[in-house]
Amino acid sequence: MEVVFVASEMIPFATTGGLGDVIGSLPKEIAKLGHRVSVFLPKYKKIFKKALDLELLMEGIHVPLGSEVEMGSIFGSRYGDVRLFFVEHSEYFGRDELYGTPMGDYPDNDRRFTFFQRAVVEGLKRLKIKPDVIHCHDWQSGLIPVYLKTLYQGDSFFKKTKTVFTIHNLAYQGNFPPDSIPVTGLSWDEFKFERLEFYGKISFLKGGLVYSDALTTVSERYAQEIQTQGFGCGLEAVLARRKSDLYGIVNGIDPDEWDASKDKDIEANFSIRNLKGKAACKRLLQAESGLTVDPSIPVFGFVGRLADQKGLDILAPVVEQMAKENWQLVLLGTGDDEYHKTFRILQKRHPKHLGLNITFDPQIAKRIYAGADFFLTPSRYEPCGLGPMIALRFGTVPIVRETGGLVDTVQEFDPKTSEGNGFIFSGYQSEDLFETMKQAVRIFQNERLWAKLVRNGMACDFSWARSARRYVEIYERVERKSLKV
Ligand code: ADP
């Protein structure tokens, strides 16, 4: 099959979170299964900095945007067996960030991502890539399924093309005022409750949900949760209506990307058979974070976007209690200004118990994954949650809240049977988190049980192969069916 991915993030080129990880791995896995795979991305400023052999493939592509036509270019490159296409428009994508600054989103994200999506559709025709499946990801590519079934419906070039849309996080919806309708070039007929209208706005995400031939999301549990009011972010009815086309497929991680036995960014290498190097990683992490270097002090790690979703409001009060217990926390993240402030204050108050890195830095992330004893994911909701999977690969024990994909990844450790790979709590209160941390530290202090728990985690297999096969099954299924909106 000719499979085209359209996304707004991909490691190692540009990312803000899990979406980038997925696009960095899944296309490669699909290619391994014998399909021709391409990925389309915006050509952000950050991409210039990567040592990529970019070739200008096409200049002066006419992209309709509102009543005007704007010009775009497409650059090509390769990433293993995967072809890469970068859509250039320097005014829209030549900025420091992908979507906005900590103060808020860029105000013209409707134009930026409409341009991107129409440039992809136009670009495919110019490049003569006739996809069997276009696999779209999150709101930034939600209009593509709409275009194919409206503006391009009669276009014989796309006659056989089907669309699959993956929800990585339902809370990010790409909602814009009705004025954006003309920008997209869509008819006002689309501004209806059954189509793209969402509480008086146009929702790019809803476009993907309504118009794609199949929908997937990144864990079985989240696929169920989003059909309910508590997690559906107002779209639960739309999703429930499309229940028979909605599949939960858990993300994997790239075992070569995350491998403690050969990673060059960490202090010392280690493996399930020889864990000695992990102690050296912990020493360095404590020292670099300005914490007391002492192997007997439990070190908790957190890596993630500092957003409401991530449970930072229940984590922050726990820092005081951790300090009393003489435990340590190393936090890496960037996001909402409010959390930057909260954790900066806590760090000033407890410099020996909180190591703080308000930045996006994959190298520090690896040092935390490798050097911490525990990895905290107290999320309010979590579609998949790659952090705990990566932590497990590095022998770091996850403590997670019982929600979304975290439930697919972490099994509660049972000291009687020595089975399980982490700790789970269900309430959304600081006490729930803190009680579970206390219970986890008791196991940490029991050398025999701790060694077993760490090894159980390192033995888990989160590789992509199985999930990639499931995606291909869905591609094959949509090829055979036709959807009426
Ligand atoms: P989400 O998709 O909600 O952002 P995930 O846990 O699924 O959450 O994926 C987050 C990914 O982004 C992980 O690979 C994590 O290591 C990485 N990441 C998040 N924040 C940072 C940061 N500040 N620095 C480096 N890597 C980060």
Side-chain angles (χ1 to χ4, degrees):
M1 276 183 282
E2 179 81 65
V3 181
V4 171
F5 278 68
V6 185
S8 59
E9 301 187 16
M10 176 177 182
I11 58 163
F13 312 116
T15 185
T16 66
L19 169 63
D21 291 51
V22 174
I23 309 301
S25 305
L26 181 59
K28 272 195 294 193
E29 294 292 328
I30 304 281
K32 267 193 217 157
L33 296 174
H35 304 285
R36 262 167 77 89
V37 184
S38 325
V39 182
F40 280 77
L41 294 156
K43 187 165 174 284
Y44 302 110
K45 191 164 156 190
K46 288 179 199 258
I47 288 170
F48 285 101
K49 296 187 194 138
K50 302 286 165 192
L52 248 187
D53 215 357
L54 284 182
E55 185 193 350
L56 176 62
L57 297 178
M58 225 160 246
E59 260 182 312
I61 300 184
H62 292 219
V63 181
L65 202 64
S67 53
E68 293 141 41
V69 172
E70 297 202 9
M71 295 295 178
S73 309
I74 294 187
F75 287 73
S77 186
R78 286 200 82 87
Y79 189 57
D81 289 333
V82 175
R83 290 184 299 171
L84 298 180
F85 298 97
F86 294 95
V87 171
E88 187 187 59
H89 185 297
S90 53
E91 190 196 326
Y92 290 151
F93 303 121
R95 304 182 189 179
D96 288 337
E97 300 302 330
L98 274 57
Y99 314 123
T101 66
M103 309 315 288
D105 289 346
Y106 291 132
D108 57 350
N109 276 348
D110 56 342
R111 292 187 80 81
R112 297 174 74 225
F113 287 98
T114 297
F115 178 86
F116 170 59
Q117 297 177 82
R118 283 214 75 175
V120 170
V121 179
E122 291 294 326
L124 284 168
K125 290 178 68 173
R126 295 272 303 264
L127 293 159
K128 299 195 170 45
I129 298 174
K130 224 179 234 186
D132 293 300
V133 175
I134 304 184
H135 190 163
C136 303
H137 299 266
D138 278 354
W139 71 264
Q140 296 87 344
S141 51
L143 292 184
I144 288 188
V146 186
Y147 285 142
L148 259 53
K149 291 212 169 69
T150 55
L151 302 185
Y152 293 81
Q153 195 183 23
D155 191 328
S156 62
F157 189 84
F158 293 112
K159 211 166 94 199
K160 290 208 312 222
T161 303
K162 295 292 167 71
T163 51
V164 174
F165 184 83
T166 296
I167 305 158
H168 294 262
N169 192 330
L170 198 65
Y172 296 85
Q173 305 180 332
N175 296 336
F176 301 102
D179 300 354
S180 303
I181 280 273
V183 174
T184 63
L186 293 168
S187 132
W188 281 99
D189 275 354
E190 298 308 318
F191 197 63
K192 281 188 192 146
F193 166 73
E194 312 82 69
R195 299 192 178 170
L196 274 66
E197 190 269 338
F198 185 60
Y199 293 98
K201 297 200 164 170
I202 161 176
S203 166
F204 286 17
L205 176 74
K206 193 173 171 189
L209 302 186
V210 171
Y211 276 95
S212 11
D213 295 294
L215 300 173
T216 75
T217 190
V218 291
S219 67
E220 300 268 358
R221 172 70 83 105
Y222 194 59
Q224 297 306 319
E225 286 175 345
I226 55 179
Q227 296 177 47
T228 66
Q229 211 182 3
F231 292 91
C233 303
L235 290 160
E236 54 276 11
V238 181
L239 288 159
R241 227 178 11 248
R242 297 226 52 200
K243 196 172 163 167
S244 60
D245 298 316
L246 171 63
Y247 305 88
I249 305 178
V250 72
N251 288 336
I253 52 173
D254 185 338
D256 294 325
E257 181 82 19
W258 307 105
D259 185 351
S261 72
K262 55 179 200 218
D263 199 306
K264 292 196 175 57
D265 287 333
I266 60 177
E267 175 70 354
N269 294 120
F270 58 92
S271 67
I272 193 163
R273 281 179 301 284
N274 183 353
L275 277 161
K276 254 199 227 134
K278 185 154 172 77
C281 292
K282 176 168 174 177
R283 262 198 310 278
L284 182 77
L285 181 66
Q286 288 177 315
E288 280 188 338
S289 309
L291 309 174
T292 308
V293 177
D294 179 345
S296 71
I297 299 178
V299 177
F300 296 81
F302 176 97
V303 178
R305 291 178 294 108
L306 302 187
D308 287 340
Q309 167 199 346
K310 297 291 178 182
L312 298 151
D313 52 341
I314 64 168
L315 177 58
V318 166
V319 175
E320 305 279 348
Q321 287 163 295
M322 292 179 74
K324 281 195 204 123
E325 300 281 345
N326 195 27
W327 300 343
Q328 300 171 345
L329 170 65
V330 182
L331 186 141
L332 166 67
T334 175
D336 295 353
D337 232 15
E338 172 204 345
Y339 292 122
H340 296 181
K341 282 189 207 132
T342 306
F343 283 95
R344 281 197 177 111
I345 293 168
L346 284 168
Q347 205 266 335
K348 279 217 180 79
R349 217 180 284 160
H350 304 290
K352 286 284 160 206
H353 298 101
L354 175 59
L356 188 61
N357 308 275
I358 304 268
T359 175
F360 191 96
D361 186 330
Q363 204 171 9
I364 303 178
K366 280 190 177 163
R367 290 177 182 205
I368 296 177
Y369 287 124
D373 299 303
F374 296 102
F375 189 81
L376 297 177
T377 310
S379 303
R380 195 184 280 275
Y381 71 91
E382 193 59 74
C384 176
L386 294 173
M389 286 187 206
I390 301 168
L392 284 162
R393 278 271 303 150
F394 282 89
T396 299
V397 174
I399 298 179
V400 305
R401 186 151 173 273
E402 189 185 4
T403 183
L406 301 174
V407 182
D408 297 25
T409 310
V410 179
Q411 293 84 41
E412 179 80 16
F413 182 70
D414 180 348
K416 288 202 199 80
T417 61
S418 291
E419 277 171 23
N421 59 11
F423 299 90
I424 307 177
F425 64 98
S426 54
Y428 192 74
Q429 304 289 334
S430 294
E431 292 74 56
D432 301 311
L433 168 61
F434 186 60
E435 282 308 311
T436 309
M437 289 165 76
K438 280 208 289 209
Q439 182 197 336
V441 168
R442 281 198 285 277
I443 305 290
F444 171 76
Q445 287 160 342
N446 179 322
E447 212 172 304
R448 187 183 58 83
L449 287 178
W450 181 250
K452 179 72 179 125
L453 170 57
V454 167
R455 288 197 164 84
N456 286 355
M458 292 183 86
C460 293
D461 177 8
F462 297 115
S463 55
W464 266 105
R466 193 174 155 269
S467 295
R469 280 197 301 274
R470 287 206 59 206
Y471 277 109
V472 170
E473 279 165 27
I474 289 168
Y475 299 161
E476 288 166 350
R477 199 166 300 168
V478 292
E479 278 208 298
R480 292 192 296 264
K481 71 168 232 185
S482 62
L483 172 89
K484 293 220 163 27
V485 177

